[in-house]
Amino acid sequence: MMLLTAIWLPAQAQSQQLTVEPDRTRIYEGEVLTLTVKGSMEIDINLGNLFDFDMSSLPKPDIEKVEPDFEILGQNQQYSIRTVNSQMVGEITWTYQLAPKTTGELTIPALTFKGAKSQPVTVEVVDGSPPDQAAPGRDSFIELSADKDELYVQEQLILTVRLFFRGNLIRGELSEPTHPHVIIESLGRQQEFSRYRDGVRYRVVERRYALFPQRPGTLKLPPVRFEGQARDPSGNLRFLRDSEELFEVPVKDVPAQFSGKTWLPATGVALEESGLPPSLGVATGENITREIKLTAAGLPAEALPPLPDAVPDGLRSYPEEPERQTETTPAGLTSSLNQSVALVPVEAGQMTLPAIRIPWWDTEADRERIAVIPERTLTVNDPNAVASTASPESNQGNADPEPDAGATEPQISPAPDETGLWQWLALLLGILWAGTLLAWWRSGKRRNVTPQLTEHRYEDAAFDRLIKAARDGAAVTPELVVEWANLHSPGHGFRSAADVVDHFGDQTLATELRRLQARLFAPGHENDAWDGRPLAQALEKIRKHKQVNTSADLPPLYPKGLS
């Protein structure tokens, strides 16, 4: 058959006739029309054109004329040869699968082929779907459903798309829901299962979407469409095509009684915190990391508002970049916002962290609710102040026996015969008192050295921690700078790293601290490379210079007036 076809295709012949026959003249929107076109022509077979065959010369009618009203989904062609009155006649049959683009009366115009011309054909396309879409004659159809018949602006709407089809699907394209003013998120992978409708077993593909309309009014989605090919049990190829449109959904505006600044329509919102000490007692200079987590059911993470960061004046706050996450569940989206804040108390006393209140709208109860973290009052103690108050008390305790000893001296005049005894006792007491004064003077020298050694040990440990944090680029470096500076240069009462920079006047220290704070807290600098060596060298230079000046200005060994 193909050999004979190759022989007559290049031959010159005269066209005889061309017919056009649709399988139906009335179809529903979304159905596929099968159009059969037949043509015939006389052929001449000779040895001269036996091997002269060109695939580009395959004959076909001008079917592109139907494209304004129909979409050509597929086509095939068949050839046959018969003898009529001693003449070889070739017959060609083209089969086209056409999908209507609009409803109403559509016309398949007259087609031409080798000079032959067909008659126009009118096809009526009916809006909607067949009354019994699950009837045995229906090969595929789409079902759309939503979990709400109305909703608020930015509220979550769950859309379920189910495609029913029969046969072995060879190719299929199911469109995604779209809308210019709706945020649409896919809820996981599609599910595949089987389901019976009116006794007919269908294969089902199910997809779920979370829709968030961004404008009040009426939500009207474009139709969801399906196009595919399947083979029936007999092996015949069938074209599948369908479309379905969701009902119009009213979208309400933000209610007037909502008191929040950020509109949060959700099925659940919660606030949690961690990191504060259970007793809420801390010391000045201590670093506390407070973790606050905001979760919401039925919202994407981008819709969650930033958390307030107000703190009292006695606290330094260093918030990190918040982390946002969105998870998909069968019930929709669940989102979270995690905020980590480093708190450093710089003053002693009672420090109250304000309450955090997030108003949100409960879409199930249709009322406002408020997620709350109550205020927390920190008790801040100053360890240095406690140590300084302890020293006078201990000195006073040591001095108490002296007046007691003097008070025990007898006030009664001795008898004349005991005068000599009392003189010897007075001399002995004088010698003992002189020895006591000498011992006190020597112990005073030791007391002057011991606190200095202790302070040096504290300062050494603080400086070691500071240098390690500076080289690592840690967020606690500014607080450690303040802690070390107060030990290194007591009496200045440094409260911030800026105070330290102003006191020492070192330009390298100021520049490196600005670079570190920009890397830690400035947007867009979190991935900057950090080299802590210049900062560490600046700190070591300041400390070394101070130690040299201190050794050059030592106080005199003997206090004035002591001889």
Side-chain angles (χ1 to χ4, degrees):
M1 178 69 69
M2 294 305 297
L3 178 60
L4 294 177
T5 300
I7 294 173
W8 65 262
L9 277 176
Q12 296 181 354
Q14 184 177 1
S15 176
Q16 301 296 322
Q17 58 183 352
L18 186 66
T19 61
V20 174
E21 297 180 358
D23 63 338
R24 290 165 292 173
T25 58
R26 186 176 187 272
I27 62 174
Y28 282 90
E29 180 187 18
E31 290 186 316
V32 178
L33 177 71
T34 300
L35 183 68
T36 302
V37 181
K38 293 183 179 181
S40 63
M41 56 186 302
E42 295 181 356
I43 60 176
D44 180 20
I45 300 177
N46 56 69
L47 294 177
N49 57 29
L50 180 61
F51 299 103
D52 186 11
F53 177 71
D54 184 7
M55 288 292 294
S56 63
S57 65
L58 288 174
K60 62 179 181 179
D62 48 355
I63 190 64
E64 61 274 4
K65 290 182 178 180
V66 306
E67 288 184 342
D69 294 327
F70 295 89
E71 180 182 356
I72 303 175
L73 301 180
Q75 59 181 339
N76 59 15
Q77 51 191 355
Q78 296 178 350
Y79 306 96
S80 64
I81 299 177
R82 61 188 179 89
T83 303
V84 178
N85 297 327
S86 301
Q87 292 291 331
M88 302 295 293
V89 177
E91 292 186 348
I92 311 175
T93 301
W94 298 272
T95 303
Y96 299 97
Q97 305 291 334
L98 305 180
K101 296 180 179 180
T102 60
T103 58
E105 290 190 354
L106 306 182
T107 300
I108 298 175
L111 306 180
T112 58
F113 171 67
K114 296 294 184 179
K117 189 174 183 179
S118 66
Q119 295 297 321
V121 178
T122 300
V123 177
E124 181 184 4
V125 181
V126 182
D127 191 9
S129 300
D132 187 8
Q133 65 177 8
R138 187 71 166 168
D139 293 325
S140 66
F141 58 92
I142 296 174
E143 282 186 353
L144 302 180
S145 62
D147 65 336
K148 302 180 182 75
D149 54 6
E150 66 174 3
L151 72 162
Y152 285 101
V153 62
Q154 298 180 4
E155 180 183 350
Q156 176 180 259
L157 176 72
I158 302 299
L159 173 66
T160 302
V161 180
R162 292 190 181 97
L163 169 66
F164 293 74
F165 64 92
R166 296 190 299 172
N168 296 322
L169 192 64
I170 299 176
R171 180 189 64 84
E173 294 181 4
L174 182 63
S175 66
E176 302 280 342
T178 59
H179 197 282
H181 305 303
V182 178
I183 297 176
I184 302 177
E185 298 286 347
S186 176
L187 298 179
R189 298 181 179 180
Q190 68 181 22
Q191 304 295 320
E192 299 183 11
F193 51 90
S194 298
R195 182 164 295 178
Y196 282 87
R197 286 292 177 87
D198 297 333
V200 180
R201 183 177 180 271
Y202 287 91
R203 295 175 61 188
V204 183
V205 172
E206 179 181 284
R207 297 177 181 176
R208 292 168 62 84
Y209 303 88
L211 280 62
F212 300 90
Q214 301 300 298
R215 294 183 180 181
T218 301
L219 174 60
K220 182 177 176 62
L221 294 175
V224 177
R225 302 183 181 277
F226 169 71
E227 294 180 1
Q229 293 179 333
R231 292 192 182 275
D232 60 17
S234 302
N236 298 323
L237 183 65
R238 297 198 309 272
F239 285 84
L240 309 178
R241 188 172 188 266
D242 192 33
S243 65
E244 186 66 24
E245 188 173 355
L246 184 67
F247 58 88
E248 295 184 355
V249 181
V251 180
K252 299 179 290 185
D253 204 347
V254 179
Q257 59 269 35
F258 181 68
S259 63
K261 295 182 179 180
T262 302
W263 171 240
L264 293 177
T267 57
V269 174
L271 271 173
E272 301 175 356
E273 72 168 343
S274 61
L276 297 181
S279 63
L280 298 181
V282 295
T284 56
E286 182 179 352
N287 187 9
I288 310 168
T289 301
R290 188 188 192 192
E291 301 281 348
I292 304 176
K293 183 176 183 180
L294 173 64
T295 58
L299 284 174
E302 292 75 16
L304 301 182
L307 298 174
D309 55 357
V311 295
D313 294 337
L315 286 177
R316 297 291 183 265
S317 175
Y318 302 94
E320 296 182 0
E321 191 71 19
E323 297 180 0
R324 298 176 183 267
Q325 292 183 346
T326 301
E327 297 181 359
T328 59
T329 67
L333 299 184
T334 299
S335 59
S336 64
L337 184 149
N338 291 273
Q339 178 70 70
S340 179
V341 183
L343 300 176
V344 181
V346 295
E347 295 180 2
Q350 300 291 323
M351 304 294 175
T352 300
L353 299 172
I356 299 177
R357 300 169 60 87
I358 305 295
W360 61 283
W361 194 264
D362 188 342
T363 56
E364 293 181 343
D366 199 18
R367 54 163 294 187
E368 179 180 297
R369 300 186 186 275
I370 299 179
V372 179
I373 292 179
E375 67 177 25
R376 310 292 189 192
T377 300
L378 300 177
T379 301
V380 183
N381 299 316
D382 189 350
N384 296 328
V386 173
S388 62
T389 57
S391 298
E393 294 176 357
S394 60
N395 293 336
Q396 182 179 359
N398 294 333
D400 286 341
E402 296 181 3
D404 291 341
T408 57
E409 294 179 1
Q411 302 299 323
I412 303 174
S413 299
D417 56 349
E418 296 177 354
T419 301
L421 176 63
W422 283 109
Q423 291 177 347
W424 286 106
L425 289 175
L427 179 62
L428 179 60
L429 289 174
I431 295 173
L432 292 175
W433 180 252
T436 301
L437 288 176
L438 180 60
W440 174 83
W441 177 71
R442 292 182 177 178
S443 63
K445 293 177 61 178
R446 289 193 295 270
R447 284 198 301 270
N448 290 337
V449 175
T450 303
Q452 294 180 2
L453 294 177
T454 303
E455 291 175 1
H456 280 305
R457 286 198 296 270
Y458 289 153
E459 191 267 349
D460 289 342
F463 190 76
D464 291 342
R465 293 194 301 270
L466 171 59
I467 292 298
K468 183 179 185 304
R471 289 173 177 171
D472 296 340
V476 298
T477 302
E479 293 81 45
L480 295 179
V481 167
V482 176
E483 177 188 356
W484 167 76
N486 282 318
L487 294 172
H488 182 68
S489 301
H492 293 279
F494 300 111
R495 294 188 177 183
S496 66
D499 295 343
V500 178
V501 172
D502 293 340
H503 175 74
F504 290 109
D506 189 277
Q507 187 60 37
T508 303
L509 177 64
T511 301
E512 294 304 316
L513 284 177
R514 283 197 299 269
R515 286 184 57 245
L516 176 60
Q517 292 178 339
R519 175 177 176 269
L520 293 173
F521 308 116
H525 293 270
E526 57 272 5
N527 295 324
D528 291 353
W530 173 250
D531 184 3
R533 288 175 294 179
L535 178 56
Q537 292 171 359
L539 292 168
E540 290 171 350
K541 176 183 176 182
I542 292 173
R543 186 176 188 236
K544 182 178 180 181
H545 179 72
K546 176 67 176 179
Q547 289 175 343
V548 171
N549 291 343
T550 302
S551 62
D553 300 329
L554 289 176
L557 180 62
Y558 298 101
K560 293 181 179 180
L562 182 63
S563 59

